[in-house]
């Protein structure tokens, strides 16, 4: 038991696939499970974890290849990662029910977790969720390379225009092609509470010319709206001032969304 609801405890679990670092804080059901996107550590959830831990138990972890966890020994896809998270929750005595909160690729995993372990999941918050068609839609939107490109712009262009197909493009060695194929079709989750949080990821992005941002943003919002088909109790929340990493740019919108869903879950029993 933690000394206070805001104090996270950094620990390591030994799984068959390797040592996985995790942190928990707070008490009370359902447990909020925070799932990170690509290219980020779970520590970026710390402020949100601290805010939520006043009301419930919160769990975050570093997937293999991230943070303090071991490096992965093999290439894996989203299905493997979903089962690995379930094994981690069991190994750490983190019992259901769960309220899954995922960002970007982590939202794809949270959605997959809800599909595979539907009886254990009581709510789903998808933050700027990776969409199975996003690379097809936006790969050609990037301007051609030029000498004024920053290293970050060059990396983004390389990844979106084909690098994402190579598992070794990320330290997690994820087969994104297989991962996206797993969730190309919307598999309805019944009346599971689902909140889709959509940011101004393209309208605020410095990677695209100002003349194309509004059109790209409209396409992105359309892809995000498709996720509302996941549930009869799905809703969309907009974070127009935020870029893709809402947990960095507008954490309050996520805290409010999770707390609202938490209250709804508890009210309905």
């Amino acid at each position: 038991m933690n000394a206070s609801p805001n104090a996270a405890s950094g620990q390591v679990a030994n799984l068959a696939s390797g040592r996985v670092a995790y942190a928990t804080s707070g008490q009370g059901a359902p447990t909020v499970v925070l799932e990170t996107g690509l290219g980020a550590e779970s520590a970026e959830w710390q402020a949100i974890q601290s805010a939520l831990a006043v009301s419930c138990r919160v769990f975050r972890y570093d997937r293999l290849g991230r943070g303090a966890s071991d490096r992965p020994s093999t290439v894996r896809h989203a299905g493997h990662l979903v089962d690995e998270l379930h094994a981690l929750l069991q190994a750490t005595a983190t019992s259901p029910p769960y309220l899954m909160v995922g960002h970007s690729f982590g939202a794809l995993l949270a959605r997959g977790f809800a599909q595979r372990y539907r009886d254990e999941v009581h709510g789903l918050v998808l933050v700027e969720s990776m969409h199975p068609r996003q690379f097809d839609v936006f790969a050609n939107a990037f301007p051609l390379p030029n000498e004024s490109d920053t290293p970050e712009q060059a990396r983004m262009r390389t990844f979106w225009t084909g690098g994402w197909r190579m598992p070794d493009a990320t330290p997690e060695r994820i087969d994104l092609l297989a991962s996206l194929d797993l969730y190309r079709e919307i598999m309805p989750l019944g009346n599971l509470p689902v909140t889709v949080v959509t940011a101004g990821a393209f309208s605020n992005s410095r990677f695209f010319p100002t003349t194309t941002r509004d059109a790209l943003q409209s396409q992105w919002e359309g892809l995000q709206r498709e996720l509302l088909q996941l549930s009869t109790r799905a809703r969309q929340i907009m974070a127009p001032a935020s870029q893709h990493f809402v947990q960095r740019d507008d954490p309050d919108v996520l805290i409010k969304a999770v707390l609202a869903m938490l209250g709804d879950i508890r009210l309905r029993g």
Side-chain angles (χ1 to χ4, degrees):
M1 182 179 297
N2 295 310
S4 75
N6 290 328
S9 56
Q11 302 176 61
V12 175
N14 292 301
L15 302 183
S17 51
R19 288 162 47 88
V20 178
Y22 68 97
T24 63
S25 55
Q27 300 177 50
T31 296
V32 173
V33 179
L34 301 171
E35 184 67 81
T36 310
L38 294 175
E41 315 302 341
S42 71
E44 73 171 27
W45 288 105
Q46 183 57 58
I48 291 174
Q49 179 175 11
S50 295
L52 295 176
V54 175
S55 303
C56 61
R57 188 180 188 191
V58 187
F59 181 98
R60 66 174 168 86
Y61 74 109
D62 290 321
R63 294 188 299 269
L64 293 181
R66 305 300 320 183
S69 295
D70 284 348
R71 305 302 96 180
S73 59
T74 60
V75 172
R76 289 98 50 76
H77 59 59
H80 301 133
L81 300 180
V82 164
D83 287 340
E84 193 168 87
L85 171 57
H86 193 256
L88 175 63
L89 292 170
Q90 289 182 317
T92 57
T94 306
S95 303
Y98 307 119
L99 194 171
M100 307 297 297
V101 181
H103 171 252
S104 196
F105 178 67
L108 191 75
L109 297 181
R111 171 184 159 193
F113 191 98
Q115 290 175 353
R116 185 161 177 79
Y117 302 103
R118 174 64 182 85
D119 292 343
E120 299 180 12
V121 176
H122 286 197
L124 183 61
V125 178
L126 305 176
V127 185
E128 282 282 285
S129 178
M130 182 174 282
H131 190 284
R133 297 201 314 279
Q134 69 178 50
F135 295 109
D136 300 327
V137 173
F138 297 108
N140 294 326
F142 284 81
L144 293 174
N146 65 71
E147 59 184 15
S148 65
D149 284 348
T150 66
E152 186 181 10
Q153 287 174 313
R155 286 193 298 270
M156 281 286 290
R157 183 188 294 106
T158 298
F159 185 77
W160 275 76
T161 56
W164 65 274
R165 294 176 177 273
M166 298 179 290
D168 287 331
T170 73
E172 297 184 55
R173 304 188 67 193
I174 295 170
D175 186 338
L176 274 179
L177 188 60
S179 297
L180 294 176
D181 282 344
L182 283 175
Y183 304 115
R184 236 165 244 290
E185 294 185 17
I186 298 288
M187 293 180 61
L189 297 168
N191 65 350
L192 179 73
V194 174
T195 297
V196 177
V197 180
T198 305
F202 287 89
S203 60
N204 297 321
S205 175
R206 62 188 180 278
F207 295 115
F208 303 97
T210 55
T211 54
T212 66
R213 290 178 189 175
D214 287 348
L216 294 174
Q217 180 66 29
S218 180
Q219 288 179 290
W220 178 244
E221 291 178 10
L223 292 180
Q224 294 293 294
R225 280 195 297 273
E226 290 182 12
L227 299 173
L228 298 176
Q229 301 172 45
L230 283 167
S231 171
T232 58
R233 293 172 59 196
R235 66 172 183 149
Q236 187 175 33
I237 293 177
M238 306 303 294
S242 175
Q243 295 191 50
H244 182 57
F245 285 84
V246 185
Q247 61 270 45
R248 299 175 186 170
D249 297 339
D250 198 353
D252 285 347
V253 74
L254 299 187
I255 293 167
K256 291 175 182 177
V258 174
L259 289 177
M261 183 175 288
L262 192 66
D264 182 55
I265 292 170
R266 289 172 174 171
L267 182 64
R268 293 173 178 269

